[in-house]
Each structure stands twice: as C-alpha cells, then as structure tokens.
Amino acid sequence: MEYMSAREAADKWGISQRRVAVLCSENRINKAQMLGNMWVIPISAQKPIDARSIRYNKTDGKKVKPFLKWAGGKGQLLSEIEKYYPFENGITKYAEPFVGGGAVLFDILSKYNLKEIYISDINAELINTYQIIKDNIDELIKLLAVMQNEFVPLCTDNRRAYYLSKRERFNNLKINGNESVNIEKAALMIFLNKTCFNGLYRVNKKGLFNVPMGSYKNPMICDEANLQAVSEKLQNVTIVCGDYRKSADFIDKNTFVYFDPPYRPITDTASFTAYTENLFNDGEQIELAGFVDEMHKKGARVVISNSDPKNSNTEDDFFDNIYSAHKIKRVEATRMINCNSEARGKIKELLISNF
C-alpha cells in the first residue's frame, strides 16, 4: 500500500496539516499510522466528513457576505484564514476586535452556530451601521432604496453633484448629529461606500470623509436580500464601538480571536488607506502584540494578520521580532487600493497564530 505524508494529505484535501493530525489521532482516517514522529496516510484514503461543520453549521443554510466594500478586506485570504478555524474541543466563542468589513465574521456566521460572538471597531460610523442593520433593518432598506432609485438614472455630472451633497450631509451628521439621525447616517455610510472610489473609507484631520466619487455603471446601493440576511445573523452578536482592549473581558480559553489591525504601511504613501482619525503606528502595533500575549495566557486561540514589511525591505524584521513567540506564515495577496492600476499586484501578507 502506498502512503502520503500529513502535509501531502493537507494539500490534497485543502485543510491544515494540524487538522490532518487531529483526524488521524481520532482514528477517523482508515489505516493511518504513526511512522516515527509523523503520521502517514494511505494515498487512497478519502477526506473524512468534517464533524465540526456538522456540529456547528446553522440549519437555515443562509450565506451572508459583507455589506460594505472595505480597504484591506480579507475576502481574498479567507481560504488561508479558514484553515485556522478551531471550532472544536470547547472553542464556542468568536471575537473580532477590528471588524472592518467583516469578511471573516460573515464567513464564520455562514458556517457555524457559535455560543457567543463579539465584534468591535474604533470607527464609530462603521459600528453604527452594523448596529442599525441589526436593529432597524426595514427603515434602513427604505432609505437605501430611495437613494438607489435617485442616483442610478443620473448622468455622470448629476451623479457627482448628488454624491457630493450626500457626502456633505454625512459629514454634517458625523460632526453635529445625535442618536436620532443614526439610521440616516448608516444609510449614507452604505451609499457612499458603494459609490466612492474603491470603497475606501478615509477621513481628513478634521474627521471629515473626503473620498471622491468612483466610476460605477450600475452600483448596487440597496442589496435588500443580503442586508436582511446580515440582520438575522447579527441578532446574537455583541457589537461594540471602541478600542480592541475592550474585548479582554469577553475573551477566554473558549474563544477564537482574529485581529486585523490597520496594516503597517509598506511604503511612504500607503497611509492613504487609513480609515480612522487615529493613526496605528509602530508603538500601537507593539502594544497589540503585548495584548495578544495576554490573551494567549488566557488560553484563547489567536490569529493576527498584517502587512509583510519584507515586501519593500528584506531586512525589516519588525513583526518577526514582536511576534517571535508565535508562528508566522507568509501568504500571497493582491494589493487592491491604489490610484495607479499598474501598482496593484501580488504581495506577501502575514498570518500570525499562537497555535
């Protein structure tokens, strides 16, 4: 009988090598055996049905996707990140303290029925939008439908005038508004995201959203079906506006935590993609690494993503140093946010884990 290694089985089945080892240790792969200190598996062996999915999968079968386009969104890395999902052996909670567009969140919500989920972000307008989708979905959809019907038929010049008027209204509510305008503010957030350049959320030093209009022939401003599905999935999610440190009380040994902080710029101009009024500099990155160590001591399973400084300087060991106690994997991604399409291309990003 011919055999393959655990790594070869992992590549063949599209799962992690550690997952193959777990399946072998649980006697779920027929005729798998230990050879020295490694598992070997018959080449003819079939991938076992994933009991984790059977245990945690929601019965409604509804798939949800991010309701915003988001700079730095993790949709393209999901196939890598999902290899770390540890929803077994008591891991029944999920925390995402830099939720952003929520690509990982919605992937998990689509696949697993977890006991508790916590999301947060320091971007108040983003968190307001999550909260309104959770609590006031019908009113939100009505406003978005009006905007879509008004905006789409317009010529380019009139679209630009309409866009600028909505951007001015959004900034006015952002600076001077109160809770009574939260639904309108959420609708404007989605409208601007769907019609601005590259779905970018950028503010100036005064905190005003200043992204120009993008070029879209027929933007989907009101995706009613997905918004309704997202609203349903968010009903059991705790939504918090604030610093990642607020998640400390939620996180315990039963929690999988994904940290996706603002990326460390790999070029001098990369900060163009900054999306809050607060910079996340090297000092903040080091503080986050310390917080990760604290959560590691609690027994949480943690994954962190960030840019790889070695894309521009092979001698830059910043993340290798601050996360030296953890495992660092370099994965390929595509740089999407750039005014110059020729500057977009394949780069390396980091996935850091404590397990």
Side-chain angles (χ1 to χ4, degrees):
M1 182 179 291
E2 295 185 27
Y3 289 86
M4 57 184 170
S5 68
R7 179 179 293 278
E8 291 169 330
D11 292 340
K12 179 179 179 181
W13 295 335
I15 59 177
S16 68
Q17 189 175 342
R18 68 174 65 89
R19 181 62 187 155
V20 173
V22 169
L23 292 169
C24 290
S25 65
E26 293 176 346
N27 296 318
R28 295 181 55 206
I29 301 178
N30 190 34
K31 296 185 179 180
Q33 56 185 290
M34 286 291 289
L35 184 62
N37 63 350
M38 62 180 287
W39 286 100
V40 292
I41 297 108
I43 287 179
S44 60
Q46 299 295 310
K47 176 185 176 182
I49 296 174
D50 195 336
R52 298 172 301 169
S53 296
I54 294 173
R55 180 180 175 186
Y56 292 111
N57 221 13
K58 277 188 175 289
T59 56
D60 61 21
K62 289 183 179 177
K63 298 291 183 182
V64 287
K65 61 184 180 180
F67 56 88
L68 296 175
K69 296 179 291 181
W70 204 250
K74 292 298 169 291
Q76 62 174 311
L77 289 183
L78 276 179
S79 61
E80 291 288 342
I81 295 171
E82 70 177 355
K83 294 176 183 178
Y84 292 90
Y85 293 172
F87 301 118
E88 57 183 59
N89 301 326
I91 302 299
T92 59
K93 299 168 62 179
Y94 175 64
E96 190 170 342
F98 296 90
V99 69
V104 176
L105 167 72
F106 292 121
D107 187 53
I108 288 173
L109 284 173
S110 294
K111 294 176 178 177
Y112 304 102
N113 181 17
L114 301 180
K115 182 180 177 181
E116 295 179 75
I117 296 180
Y118 172 105
I119 62 171
S120 66
D121 203 285
I122 201 169
N123 185 326
E125 312 316 325
L126 174 66
I127 289 299
N128 174 65
T129 306
Y130 273 96
Q131 197 70 55
I132 293 301
I133 290 175
K134 177 181 178 179
D135 297 335
N136 304 95
I137 187 61
D138 292 335
E139 296 93 328
L140 178 67
I141 286 173
K142 288 177 183 177
L143 289 178
L144 288 172
V146 170
M147 292 180 191
Q148 179 162 306
N149 292 334
E150 291 177 345
F151 179 82
V152 172
L154 299 175
C155 66
T156 300
D157 287 345
N158 288 342
R159 277 188 174 189
R160 184 172 292 107
Y162 187 96
Y163 175 88
L164 292 175
S165 71
K166 295 300 184 185
R167 190 177 74 177
E168 182 178 5
R169 174 65 175 167
F170 176 75
N171 283 328
N172 182 53
L173 297 182
K174 186 177 188 294
I175 302 300
N176 303 311
N178 54 47
E179 290 186 3
S180 67
V181 297
N182 281 351
I183 298 176
E184 181 186 359
K185 195 162 51 169
L188 289 167
M189 176 81 170
I190 293 174
F191 167 80
L192 293 170
N193 175 265
K194 298 296 186 181
T195 56
C196 75
F197 170 74
N198 272 2
L200 188 66
Y201 187 89
R202 183 192 62 189
V203 295
N204 61 22
K205 291 181 180 180
K206 295 180 180 179
L208 300 177
F209 179 80
N210 63 357
V211 181
M213 186 179 79
S215 299
Y216 305 101
K217 185 176 180 180
N218 188 28
M220 176 63 83
I221 296 165
C222 183
D223 187 350
E224 181 175 354
N226 186 62
L227 286 169
Q228 290 282 8
V230 168
S231 181
E232 289 181 30
K233 296 291 189 182
L234 290 178
Q235 293 309 304
N236 295 320
V237 175
T238 298
I239 302 171
V240 174
C241 181
D243 184 88
Y244 66 87
R245 297 173 185 85
K246 287 188 174 183
S247 65
D249 290 340
F250 176 86
I251 297 169
D252 58 23
K253 66 180 181 180
N254 301 316
T255 312
F256 173 49
V257 192
Y258 174 52
F259 292 102
D260 183 31
Y263 273 21
R264 186 174 187 247
I266 56 176
T267 66
D268 291 339
T269 59
S271 59
F272 173 80
T273 62
Y275 71 92
T276 70
E277 296 91 326
N278 304 284
L279 296 178
F280 207 86
N281 56 28
D282 282 2
E284 291 280 357
Q285 298 283 3
I286 292 169
E287 286 186 25
L288 174 60
F291 184 79
V292 167
D293 288 339
E294 293 174 18
M295 299 307 102
H296 171 70
K297 291 175 183 177
K298 284 188 170 188
R301 304 287 184 92
V302 181
V303 171
I304 312 101
S305 55
N306 218 304
S307 59
D308 185 359
K310 293 183 181 296
N311 283 302
S312 56
N313 180 3
T314 57
E315 302 299 315
D316 192 334
D317 295 323
F318 179 77
F319 288 115
D320 297 82
N321 290 333
I322 68 174
Y323 289 109
S324 60
H326 304 300
K327 299 175 183 177
I328 299 178
K329 181 179 181 181
R330 286 175 163 84
V331 297
E332 198 169 74
T334 301
R335 183 203 306 272
M336 297 301 294
I337 301 298
N338 199 298
C339 298
N340 179 5
S341 61
E342 294 181 1
R344 302 174 191 172
K346 296 293 183 181
I347 59 171
K348 294 291 185 181
E349 292 191 2
L350 304 179
L351 290 177
I352 304 157
S353 67
N354 70 336
F355 62 101

